[in-house]
């Protein structure tokens, strides 16, 4: 089945690599008649090979100092700018001031073009299927299991959760319904957008007042902007697999069921975030999610993927947060999360301190 992923807010999925101002320089560019701030990522090895001997020595010497940046280097060695232009790997749009950037998290790429891995989309589908398919008795089993394993140092709780989508919980990987759901990587994007990510922190003071602020050090990330990406969902279930005993789980291998559960999960999550923003009087966040709520539909549901999605968007913990607070507290402890007496999670990662990243709409084509 062919699908479209419409990016609503910038998406970042890291490849584990970081780079600093010694690997990019900034400048002006134009797109659609508009002037833009751009950044150019440079292959430093290629740049070095194009410099004359004297400039090479200076470049190599400066490259090892923490304060080094290409923009400053060009002021002392203007001829190096031409060599840098010939050494550019890719260019992107700068959506923040570059003066204070010390480190940028790179988006996952293929041939220097950005994409969203199929595994990230499939992970969101899996979470939604679990969230929506678990019955009250299933939740009771999870609560009971948590109470029995909470004292262990490293309980193998994930395999137990995976078992709810499999015919044999003890062999979940081989006998899971998710085996027959394949999601391809998306099409690619050539131009990344470089954004500043601020971490919003909330707390309740001793006198009962609620405090909202940002952590001191922002993060800088490459993102996929508002574009539409193509990918495919392939359903490979065949009757020869009936001996796996999937039973009713086979119904999950259906586009309509996937739509239903994705919509339910995002609906509940968005409602939770509206309540959070209202509780701490964060007007811009509340307004964003109320507008996002209107974009969510049963035919083209929203999902949240990538960096900044957070604990509640990537687990089934939201099912317990309101219904079973004690189990919810145990779940976050098992996940290695710190305990707070007033709110968990207490932070939100926001693009430019305003917009939650990673929201996309899934459009299913017949």
């Amino acid at each position: 089945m062919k699908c479209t992923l419409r990016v609503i807010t910038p998406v970042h999925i890291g490849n584990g690599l970081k780079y600093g101002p010694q690997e990019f320089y900034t400048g002006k560019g134009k797109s659609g008649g508009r002037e833009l701030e751009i950044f150019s990522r440079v292959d430093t090895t290629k740049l070095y090979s194009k410099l004359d001997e004297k400039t090479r020595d200076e470049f190599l010497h400066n490259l090892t100092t923490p304060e080094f940046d290409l923009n400053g280097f060009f002021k002392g060695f203007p001829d190096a700018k031409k060599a840098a232009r010939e050494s550019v790997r890719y260019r992107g749009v700068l959506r923040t001031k570059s003066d204070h950037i010390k480190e940028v998290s790179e988006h996952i790429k293929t041939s220097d073009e950005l994409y969203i891995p199929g595994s990230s989309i499939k992970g969101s589908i899996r979470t939604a299927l679990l969230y929506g398919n678990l019955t009250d008795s299933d939740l009771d089993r999870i609560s009971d299991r948590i109470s029995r394993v909470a004292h262990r140092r490293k309980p193998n709780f994930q395999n137990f959760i995976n078992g709810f989508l499999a015919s044999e919980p003890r062999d979940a990987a081989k006998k899971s319904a998710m085996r027959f759901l394949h999601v391809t990587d998306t099409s690619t994007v050539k131009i990344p957008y470089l954004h500043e990510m601020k971490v919003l922190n909330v707390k309740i003071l001793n006198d009962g007042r609620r405090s909202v602020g940002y952590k001191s050090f922002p993060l800088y990330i490459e993102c996929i902007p508002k574009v539409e990406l193509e990918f495919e969902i392939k359903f490979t279930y065949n009757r020869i697999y009936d001996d796996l005993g999937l039973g009713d789980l086979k119904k999950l291998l259906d586009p309509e069921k996937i739509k239903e559960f994705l919509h339910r999960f995002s609906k509940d999550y968005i409602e939770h975030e509206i309540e959070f923003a209202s509780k701490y009087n964060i007007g811009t966040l509340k307004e964003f999610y109320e507008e996002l709520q209107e974009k969510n539909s049963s035919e083209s549901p929203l999902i949240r993927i990538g960096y900044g999605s957070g604990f509640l968007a990537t687990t089934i913990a939201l099912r317990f947060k309101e219904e079973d607070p004690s189990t919810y507290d145990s779940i976050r402890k098992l996940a290695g999360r710190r305990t707070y007496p007033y709110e968990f999670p207490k932070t939100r990662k926001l693009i430019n301190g305003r917009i939650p990243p990673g929201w996309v709409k899934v459009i299913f084509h017949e």
Side-chain angles (χ1 to χ4, degrees):
M1 168 177 279
K2 294 185 182 299
C3 303
T4 297
L5 205 66
R6 179 178 296 160
V7 178
I8 296 173
T9 63
V11 174
H12 172 77
I13 298 175
N15 63 0
L17 300 178
K18 300 179 187 294
Y19 62 91
Q22 68 274 20
E23 291 187 51
F24 74 90
Y25 64 92
T26 60
K28 302 287 186 181
K30 283 190 176 182
S31 176
R34 293 185 304 143
E35 191 171 81
L36 300 171
E37 294 286 336
I38 65 170
F39 72 96
S40 300
R41 177 83 183 279
V42 170
D43 182 332
T44 53
T45 302
K46 189 175 180 180
L47 170 59
Y48 176 80
S49 69
K50 291 181 176 293
L51 299 174
D52 60 56
E53 187 172 347
K54 180 183 176 181
T55 312
R56 280 183 184 179
D57 291 341
E58 287 292 334
F59 179 71
L60 201 57
H61 172 73
N62 284 284
L63 196 59
T64 59
T65 61
E67 298 80 15
F68 176 69
D69 69 90
L70 282 179
N71 284 328
F73 184 71
F74 295 152
K75 292 177 182 178
F77 299 88
D79 291 343
K81 186 74 175 282
K82 180 182 178 183
R85 290 194 191 101
E86 296 171 353
S87 307
V88 170
R89 286 176 49 189
Y90 56 86
R91 290 185 170 87
V93 177
L94 192 62
R95 288 299 194 188
T96 182
K97 294 181 180 179
S98 62
D99 299 350
H100 304 295
I101 298 177
K102 299 299 181 185
E103 190 175 73
V104 178
S105 294
E106 186 176 358
H107 194 286
I108 191 169
K109 298 184 180 78
T110 176
S111 300
D112 278 336
E113 294 187 2
L114 298 78
Y115 70 99
I116 295 176
S119 57
S120 296
I121 303 170
K122 184 175 179 178
S124 294
I125 294 174
R126 175 187 167 279
T127 299
L129 291 178
L130 272 169
Y131 180 88
N133 199 52
L134 293 175
T135 64
D136 290 341
S137 61
D138 291 331
L139 297 179
D140 290 340
R141 284 171 56 199
I142 294 173
S143 297
D144 179 65
R145 176 67 175 248
I146 288 174
S147 65
R148 287 189 285 114
V149 304
H151 65 281
R152 299 180 190 173
R153 181 172 294 181
K154 290 184 178 180
N156 192 4
F157 186 63
Q158 192 58 51
N159 286 344
F160 175 70
I161 290 291
N162 290 340
F164 283 91
L165 293 178
S167 57
E168 290 288 340
R170 290 172 295 180
D171 198 9
K174 292 183 179 179
K175 298 186 178 181
S176 171
M178 298 305 292
R179 268 187 69 188
F180 310 106
L181 181 68
H182 296 272
V183 183
T184 67
D185 296 340
T186 68
S187 52
T188 60
V189 178
K190 291 184 178 181
I191 301 176
Y193 278 47
L194 202 162
H195 286 280
E196 179 183 71
M197 181 85 79
K198 292 184 178 180
V199 181
L200 180 75
N201 188 53
V202 302
K203 56 184 169 181
I204 297 179
L205 305 177
N206 292 333
D207 60 4
R209 289 183 297 121
R210 290 164 180 167
S211 171
V212 179
Y214 291 98
K215 292 191 175 181
S216 302
F217 302 102
L219 310 167
Y220 298 93
I221 56 175
E222 288 183 352
C223 296
I224 293 179
K226 292 182 179 181
V227 294
E228 292 192 353
L229 305 170
E230 307 304 318
F231 71 101
E232 287 188 56
I233 297 177
K234 301 176 182 179
F235 303 91
T236 62
Y237 185 81
N238 189 291
R239 288 184 180 179
I240 63 173
Y241 296 115
D242 281 344
D243 58 350
L244 293 180
L246 288 175
D248 287 343
L249 290 173
K250 288 185 291 187
K251 69 184 180 183
L252 301 180
L253 303 173
D254 177 86
E256 295 305 316
K257 284 296 179 183
I258 289 176
K259 290 180 192 177
E260 175 188 337
F261 289 124
L262 286 176
H263 178 252
R264 176 182 172 183
F265 182 56
S266 55
K267 177 177 177 292
D268 289 356
Y269 178 78
I270 290 170
E271 288 175 356
H272 174 272
E273 291 301 283
I274 291 174
E275 291 176 9
F276 171 86
S278 299
K279 179 178 178 180
Y280 291 95
N281 196 28
I282 311 170
T284 53
L285 192 62
K286 181 173 182 288
E287 183 179 339
F288 168 82
Y289 274 112
E290 286 175 342
E291 292 178 359
L292 191 69
Q293 202 170 35
E294 298 300 316
K295 297 176 181 177
N296 197 22
S297 70
S298 56
E299 283 303 306
S300 297
L302 299 175
I303 62 174
R304 196 175 185 194
I305 54 177
Y307 183 74
S309 296
F311 183 63
L312 294 179
T314 55
T315 69
I316 60 169
L318 189 60
R319 286 289 301 267
F320 293 95
K321 194 171 191 295
E322 301 297 333
E323 301 173 27
D324 190 349
S326 62
T327 298
Y328 176 70
D329 191 53
S330 296
I331 288 173
R332 71 186 190 185
K333 288 177 182 177
L334 286 172
R337 310 284 178 152
R338 292 177 62 187
T339 299
Y340 304 100
Y342 49 87
E343 186 75 51
F344 181 84
K346 68 168 189 172
T347 61
R348 298 294 187 276
K349 292 184 175 69
L350 304 174
I351 297 287
N352 300 326
R354 297 175 62 85
I355 302 172
W359 281 104
V360 300
K361 176 182 276 285
V362 185
I363 302 170
F364 296 82
H365 303 296
E366 293 299 331

